[in-house]
Amino acid sequence: MKRIAIVGGGISGLSAAFALERSRKDDAPLEYVLYESSSRLGGVLTTEDVDGCLIEAGPDSFLTEKPWASDLCREIGLGDQLIGSNDTDRKTYILVKGRLVVIPDGLMFMVPTKIIPAVLSPLFSARTKLRMAREWFHPPRKAESDESVASMVERHYGAEMVERLADPLLSGVYGGEADQLSVRAVLPRFAEMEAKYGSLGRAMLAARGKMARARKGPARPLFTSLKDGMQQMVDVLLSRLPASALRTNAPVLSIQPQAGGWMVSAGHGSDQFDAVVLATPAQAAASLLRVANAQLASELQAIQYTSSITINLGYDQSVRSLLPPGFGFLVPRTEGRRILAATFVHNKFPHRAPDDRALIRCFVGGAGNEHVLELADDELLRIARDELRQIIGLTAEPLFTRVYRWKDAMAQYGVGHLERLQRIENLLAGLSGLALAGNGYRGIGVPDCIRSGSDAATKLLAKLGLADEKLPTTA
Ligand SMILES: Cc1cc2nc3c(=O)[nH]c(=O)nc-3n(C[C@H](O)[C@H](O)[C@H](O)COP(=O)(O)OP(=O)(O)OC[C@H]3O[C@@H](n4cnc5c(N)ncnc54)[C@H](O)[C@@H]3O)c2cc1C
């Protein structure tokens, strides 16, 4: 009988557990234990039902084009619960000099693919519009080394594109800053597109044409979620795992290589395993590995995280008609606000709020704003309401509010991240029976985390001779 420990019970650890469970059900001689330091499983995936509204404390959805989350949902019987974003109403605004300006049609992430809407948009100055036209003729360029997203976007479209689009978009996804994040790790397709086509605009059009030709059936929604919220995935996953394998309130304090396996110490006792999946944030993995391999620990420690707070405000139906149509807005740093973004939740997805309610979710925090975690809920609510009043003229009294704090939850892939992952791979190769999973490595979104957990489990099963390794070796 082989024994595997999983440390961390977020979606990455649960996906690893599910992959092991699949193998166990197929009669692999295997047992596993998942250790989670907090009292609940699921990590940042938490949904709360308040006054008939579904409030997502953490992620509200995942990108449809990344298949691993939808695949897992189908496998656990949630295929008919998957819902798409209301893309017919998809409109997002950017706050520019205190006014909301809609992101023009044809902008793919921050790359303009339709000339007329971009030229007519008040989002860009004449100078940036000229840069957009010139970008079309950008010569192919194979970068010798990594650079920041800001540096690449600025080379193509100028500084205004970074300030008004790249930075707010990345701050919405990563809680990070465009001048810190690695283009190769965060937007790998941009680096490939530049090498092949030169112009990101032409490359994006070519990719879109290829996708349209390959696609059978209607266009898919940009985002996918679950009817009862993201926690539905966690709840059903848990129902597929044996309760005896899951330990909550069980922080792992150390892991040490020992006699061909690993000794895992958690609270009251220690236990021997043949292999370990570390599915915690990278910095927690670093502290657990300090004794086993100080160099690996210091590489993991260098992966930075930022914190984020979601502030949810529920209103009566009258607020719906006061809001601009669409999914919400993003706030560039130069606007000097605390809110980074706001989502009009009732517009973005069906099944989130009854017709007589409106639900708004604001984000604060992100890189350089750690101090907001110290603010009391009342103060955070005051800031959110004040800024909503100034930005969209919303003065209504909320019917309910919820504030969720996520300390050090968003990994920041800094310039050179992929090279760091390579060094981590090399160091891991010297530690038998250890695999890493989680949002610190090859994707911060829920689908990537699911894939990372499942890959880590498959890799260890192969090492233990319990499965074929079909996957590329990744951290
Ligand atoms: C506010 C917010 C909004 C987001 N929105 C989206 C979105 O819309 N779409 C999307 O795709 N992604 C989104 N993300 C990102 C995504 O949700 C996360 O990257 C992903 O869920 C992380 O999962 P994880 O299991 O790797 O980590 P976590 O969920 O952080 O889980 C790690 C677990 O490890 C446990 N742990 C740590 N140390 C120990 C220890 N020593 N012993 C035992 N247990 C330990 C922790 O308690 C935690 O439960 C969002 C994230 C946040 C915070």
Side-chain angles (χ1 to χ4, degrees), residues 31-336:
E31 68 179 36
Y32 62 92
V33 176
L34 182 148
Y35 295 93
E36 164 55 43
S37 55
S38 74
S39 58
R40 70 171 283 281
L41 294 159
V44 303
L45 270 74
T46 307
T47 309
E48 205 183 333
D49 187 337
V50 184
D51 192 25
C53 296
L54 279 186
I55 299 189
E56 297 288 10
D60 67 352
S61 58
F62 45 85
L63 278 175
T64 307
E65 71 164 12
K66 297 202 168 196
W68 307 286
S70 304
D71 288 351
L72 176 66
C73 287
R74 285 189 203 98
E75 188 178 349
I76 60 178
L78 284 175
D80 62 346
Q81 299 295 298
L82 292 169
I83 54 169
S85 44
N86 288 324
D87 283 5
T88 44
D89 293 332
R90 193 169 94 217
K91 244 189 201 163
T92 304
Y93 302 83
I94 305 281
L95 189 69
V96 179
K97 298 186 180 134
R99 287 186 44 235
L100 292 183
V101 177
V102 74
I103 296 183
D105 191 26
L107 221 76
M108 295 177 78
F109 206 51
M110 58 207 84
V111 176
T113 59
K114 289 186 183 169
I115 306 285
I116 294 176
V119 166
L120 295 179
S121 170
L123 184 57
F124 309 114
S125 64
R127 193 185 161 89
T128 301
K129 289 173 186 171
L130 203 64
R131 290 287 302 259
M132 288 178 188
R134 286 213 322 251
E135 201 276 342
W136 216 250
F137 304 100
H138 215 283
R141 174 183 191 270
K142 195 157 172 38
E144 311 231 306
S145 58
D146 197 7
E147 64 182 320
S148 71
V149 174
S151 146
M152 178 184 257
V153 173
E154 190 167 344
R155 275 196 293 107
H156 284 257
Y157 299 108
E160 188 181 76
M161 189 66 107
V162 175
E163 179 199 310
R164 296 209 175 150
L165 269 178
D167 207 48
L169 282 167
L170 289 173
S171 134
V173 180
Y174 284 85
E177 293 170 319
D179 60 359
Q180 299 296 319
L181 295 171
S182 148
V183 81
R184 284 191 180 171
V186 168
L187 295 170
R189 278 171 61 201
F190 275 33
E192 288 158 19
M193 289 189 306
E194 187 182 52
K196 184 162 175 201
Y197 289 88
S199 158
L200 300 178
R202 279 192 292 119
M204 210 51 118
L205 269 188
R208 202 171 60 180
K210 217 191 256 175
M211 263 160 55
R213 285 190 295 278
R215 191 173 49 228
K216 296 180 186 83
R220 294 184 305 169
L222 183 59
F223 302 107
T224 298
S225 190
L226 285 152
K227 247 186 215 163
D228 289 343
M230 295 291 281
Q231 197 177 311
Q232 203 175 355
M233 194 186 322
V234 172
D235 292 344
V236 175
L237 263 179
L238 291 179
S239 72
R240 304 297 161 98
L241 302 174
S244 57
L246 307 173
R247 309 221 173 123
T248 47
N249 297 310
V252 170
L253 306 175
S254 72
I255 64 164
Q256 305 230 26
Q258 211 166 70
W262 290 85
M263 184 61 80
V264 174
S265 304
H268 306 301
S270 301
D271 207 350
Q272 176 86 31
F273 292 90
D274 296 287
V276 178
V277 177
L278 277 185
T280 64
Q283 309 222 328
S287 40
L288 293 178
L289 285 168
R290 203 146 282 137
V291 175
N293 188 320
Q295 205 184 341
L296 176 56
S298 93
E299 291 287 3
L300 292 168
Q301 186 71 41
I303 299 173
Q304 300 296 309
Y305 279 74
T306 61
S307 304
S308 151
I309 299 178
T310 59
I311 303 174
N312 299 267
L313 303 120
Y315 296 93
D316 72 22
Q317 151 198 38
S318 63
V319 164
R320 287 190 177 219
S321 57
L322 297 177
L323 302 175
F327 285 5
F329 61 85
L330 300 168
V331 183
R333 214 177 301 274
T334 45
E335 291 292 311

Side-chain angles (χ1 to χ4, degrees), residues 257-434:
Q258 211 166 70
W262 290 85
M263 184 61 80
V264 174
S265 304
H268 306 301
S270 301
D271 207 350
Q272 176 86 31
F273 292 90
D274 296 287
V276 178
V277 177
L278 277 185
T280 64
Q283 309 222 328
S287 40
L288 293 178
L289 285 168
R290 203 146 282 137
V291 175
N293 188 320
Q295 205 184 341
L296 176 56
S298 93
E299 291 287 3
L300 292 168
Q301 186 71 41
I303 299 173
Q304 300 296 309
Y305 279 74
T306 61
S307 304
S308 151
I309 299 178
T310 59
I311 303 174
N312 299 267
L313 303 120
Y315 296 93
D316 72 22
Q317 151 198 38
S318 63
V319 164
R320 287 190 177 219
S321 57
L322 297 177
L323 302 175
F327 285 5
F329 61 85
L330 300 168
V331 183
R333 214 177 301 274
T334 45
E335 291 292 311
R337 306 278 179 179
R338 300 286 192 91
I339 292 183
L340 300 173
T343 306
F344 307 148
V345 179
H346 55 275
N347 281 349
K348 187 171 173 187
F349 288 105
H351 308 285
R352 286 293 177 268
D355 290 345
D356 59 354
R357 292 285 177 266
L359 188 57
I360 301 181
R361 166 163 118 137
C362 302
F363 290 82
V364 299
N369 287 317
E370 294 298 308
H371 60 278
V372 293
L373 285 177
E374 309 302 324
L375 300 178
D377 284 7
D378 282 355
E379 179 60 6
L380 289 165
L381 286 165
R382 191 197 59 72
I383 290 169
R385 289 191 59 197
D386 210 35
E387 295 199 353
L388 287 174
R389 181 180 54 75
Q390 291 168 32
I391 296 168
I392 51 176
L394 179 60
T395 54
E397 194 67 36
L399 299 173
F400 61 84
T401 58
R402 288 290 184 280
V403 176
Y404 305 91
R405 289 171 168 73
W406 299 113
K407 185 165 168 44
D408 299 333
M410 312 286 265
Q412 304 295 294
Y413 300 165
V415 175
H417 183 74
L418 296 186
E419 287 82 359
R420 169 163 288 115
L421 289 189
Q422 190 53 57
R423 293 195 294 278
I424 289 175
E425 296 291 352
N426 297 343
L427 291 162
L428 274 175
L431 289 172
S432 172
L434 180 69

